[in-house]
Every structure is written in structure tokens, then in C-alpha cells.
Amino acid sequence: MRTSASPRPVLLFNTESDRTDWWRDVLSEKIPGLDFRTMDQPGDLAEIEYVLAWNPPPGYLAQLPNLKAIFSLGAGVDHLFRDPDLPRHVPVSRVVNDNLTLRMREYVVQHVLNHHRQQRKYDAFQRQGTWEELHQPHAGERRVGVMGLGELGRDAAEHIAHLGFDVAGWSRSRREIAHVTCFAGQDEFDAFLARTDILVGLLPLTADTRNLINAETLGKLPAGASFINAGRGQQVVEDDLLAALDSGHLSEATLDVFQTEPLPAGHRLWTHPNVTVTPHIASITDPRGVADQVAENIDRSRRGEELRDLVDPSRGY
Ligand code: NDP
Ligand code: OXD
């Protein structure tokens, strides 16, 4: 077993994307001497000090005896914590950067505006050759509610508020955000839902948020409300969501994340007329955004300092 750090930091990269070369190039530019390894050629497992991972096979990380830090390839870490053998003594950091936040802002603003301006109905009118004007409230008359007021949710809520929407947010602990009415905790969830016309999901997946969006919670939204989810698919009981859409209680949904990804062929969400499906692209992790963070964390680790953007394993996010 090695006891001292090798002169070259050894990082194992685990991804489901086909962009490994891009990652290798960008990271190698930022991290001098980086020994970049991949899952198909990891070399001696005892040499691996750092892992940059999306969804490693359960039990794999426990086989790395000299692992010093795990860097999540996403802002979320549920894919790591679902491994029962995740080495608990190794710190886990997650992606936090302006690149990721900006991309999520774009996605949320795009779809809030689409819902608000009833774009789905105008698209259907166009297909039918129908020239019809719908009643259109202005943004100040539309109540948007953002679940999750962390790095991504806070930014999205602020930018929607800048557009003039009546914005509220919901988080575990109390937040204070200018021009956003903040609700906190389970006790205030119902009141938050009751005042929300467009619900936006930007929550991490934890035991508390799994299946949070179900028949009961959807029923607390005003009739005709809509839903945009870019958090995690496992937060939604998809049959309940479909039932709410079928009954018209929910007017539409835009979903980037699903219980099972890729969304299985033949799933009703693919073809429901009031659903927009995107393939988990709301905010992709861009190596140009992550490289500085990984470089800094490797430096910190090698100096024996605490890493930045650490996950609290007791909270699960
Ligand atoms: P953060 O950890 O910064 O923020 C999480 C927020 O959720 C916090 O405000 C937190 O409350 C709140 N929260 C957590 N648990 C609860 C709960 N039980 N009840 C109420 N609020 C809760 O995460 P990010 O903003 O960086 O990312 C959020 C999620 O977005 C990620 O975990 C990931 O799942 C998803 N994501 C999706 C992407 C996509 O492309 N679709 C891309 C990137 C991320 P508090 O403020 O009190 O801590
Ligand atoms: C993430 C994601 O967590 O891409 O960053 O979903």
C-alpha cells in the first residue's frame, strides 16, 4: 500500500458520456502532470487518489485503498450515495460553478416563459392552422414557486423575479432572497404549493424528497397549475403526475429528469400532448466549468486542507 502522494496526481474518470477526450484535454491543461485514467484502463487501483465520477458501479470505489477525494461529476450526488459501500471516510465534493448555474438559469427561464405564454397551445393552433388569441396575464399576475433554493434554485428564482413574475421559493432551512417570498420546511410546504401556478423542481434527491411530488401534493396546487422538473425524476410519482395531467388539474409539465433514464420507449410521458420531455440536459456539466474546481481541490487535498463544495453526508446533498 502506498503511503505518500505520488508526484503526479492520479485521477480516475467515470462517465456515461462519450466526451472522455474533451475531459482529458481540459483537465490536463489545468492540472500539471495529471495522470488521467479511465474505467477501462484504471491501472493499479492502489495508485488512484482522486475519482471524478457520475455513476460508478456499486462497490467499485471501495476497492481504491488510497482514495483521497471523490468529485461528483454533477451538482447532485445521489448517484454516488446510492452505493452502499461508498467509502464514508473519503470527502465528496460536487459541481458548483457559474457555467452550470447559467445553463440551469437558461432552462428554467425558457420553460417558465413557455408555460406562462401558453406556447404549447399556440404550437397546437399552428399545426391546426388556427388563428386564435388566448387570454394572457402578465408576468406579475403569474405565481412561480421554486422548490430548492440552493446554488441553482436561488439563481433561477432571482432571474425569474427579475422578469417580473411573482416568485416564491421553498427550502429546508429559511432563506432570504430579495423579491422572492421564502417558505421553509415541511410545515410551510402546503402554503407554498397553494400559491404556485408554475412549480419548478430544483431539489436534490434525498430520503425526504423521494416521491415528494405525488397525487396529494399535486392536489394542493391551484387547478390549472403547471410543473417543470429539473431536479431528479425519483422525486415524482409519474403515474400520479400523468393522472393530474389527464384530469386537467395540471395543465402541462416539462420534465428533464425521470424515474428511469433514459425514459423507456413506450412510456406515456413520451407522447402525452401536455408534456415536454428533455433528456437530462437542463444543465450539463462542462469540463471548462469544472476543471478549476477539481484543480483547486486536488491542490487543497495535497496540502492537507479541507476541500471546497463539500457534500454533507448526513443531509445527503
Ligand atoms: P444545493 O445543494 O445547492 O441546494 C439544494 C436546495 O434544496 C437547498 O435550498 C436545500 O435547502 C433544498 N432542500 C434539500 N432538501 C430539502 C427538503 N427536504 N425540503 C425542502 N428543501 C430541501 O443544490 P443545487 O442547487 O446545486 O442542485 C440542486 C439539484 O439539481 C441537484 O441535487 C441535482 O439533483 C439537480 N441538477 C439537475 C441538473 C439537470 O441537468 N437536470 C443539473 C444539475 C443539478 P437548504 O437551503 O435549507 O439547504
Ligand atoms: C447534476 C446533473 O447533478 O447533471 O449535475 O443532474
Side-chain angles (χ1 to χ4, degrees), residues 55-302:
N55 194 10
Y60 190 90
L61 300 184
Q63 297 174 48
L64 309 178
N66 292 305
L67 193 58
K68 294 187 175 60
I70 300 166
F71 308 133
S72 169
L73 203 42
V77 289
D78 45 291
H79 48 283
L80 295 170
F81 280 103
R82 73 171 149 239
D83 178 352
D85 298 320
L86 185 75
R88 295 286 161 171
H89 62 284
V90 179
V92 178
S93 78
R94 67 189 193 93
V95 174
V96 175
N97 63 59
D98 292 347
N99 185 314
L100 191 84
T101 303
L102 178 57
R103 289 169 187 273
M104 187 58 83
R105 182 193 309 166
E106 293 166 5
Y107 186 88
V108 174
V109 167
Q110 175 194 358
H111 292 287
V112 165
L113 284 172
N114 278 346
H115 286 209
H116 167 61
R117 296 298 302 235
Q118 308 174 82
Q119 190 57 44
R120 185 183 309 281
K121 289 186 182 150
Y122 285 114
D123 288 344
F125 287 171
Q126 183 177 352
R127 285 194 294 276
Q128 297 154 8
T130 300
W131 183 275
E132 184 182 328
E133 181 181 328
L134 298 166
H135 168 69
Q136 180 62 53
H138 63 66
E141 297 168 308
R142 192 80 80 183
R143 298 164 301 175
V144 180
V146 180
M147 296 186 291
L149 293 174
E151 296 292 334
L152 303 179
R154 179 191 180 106
D155 177 87
E158 285 173 339
H159 283 85
I160 302 161
H162 284 156
L163 291 173
F165 287 96
D166 178 357
V167 182
W170 180 66
S171 52
R172 217 164 62 114
S173 55
R174 175 88 46 209
R175 297 285 179 138
E176 275 185 34
I177 305 173
H179 311 297
V180 176
T181 308
C182 291
F183 293 79
Q186 206 52 50
D187 290 350
E188 296 179 16
F189 193 40
D190 289 1
F192 164 78
L193 292 174
R195 55 75 62 212
T196 291
D197 300 315
I198 302 177
L199 180 66
V200 178
L202 278 173
L203 287 167
L205 180 64
T206 65
D208 291 336
T209 65
R210 187 176 292 278
N211 296 331
L212 179 73
I213 302 303
N214 55 43
E216 190 188 339
T217 48
L218 288 168
K220 290 175 179 163
L221 292 167
S226 70
F227 181 43
I228 298 166
N229 194 22
R232 283 290 182 265
Q234 294 83 357
Q235 289 153 352
V236 180
V237 179
E238 288 172 347
D239 284 344
D240 291 2
L241 179 72
L242 281 161
L245 288 160
D246 289 342
S247 73
H249 178 68
L250 207 62
S251 57
E252 62 177 312
T254 295
L255 306 171
D256 187 54
V257 287
F258 302 88
Q259 285 277 353
T260 303
E261 296 180 11
L263 182 63
H267 196 294
R268 275 193 68 212
L269 287 171
W270 276 119
T271 49
H272 196 289
N274 294 335
V275 174
T276 294
V277 168
T278 55
H280 202 140
I281 48 69
S283 184
I284 60 155
T285 305
D286 180 334
R288 296 165 303 173
V290 172
D292 283 331
Q293 188 187 1
V294 171
E296 184 181 337
N297 267 341
I298 288 180
D299 275 350
R300 286 184 183 214
S301 159
R302 298 194 131 212

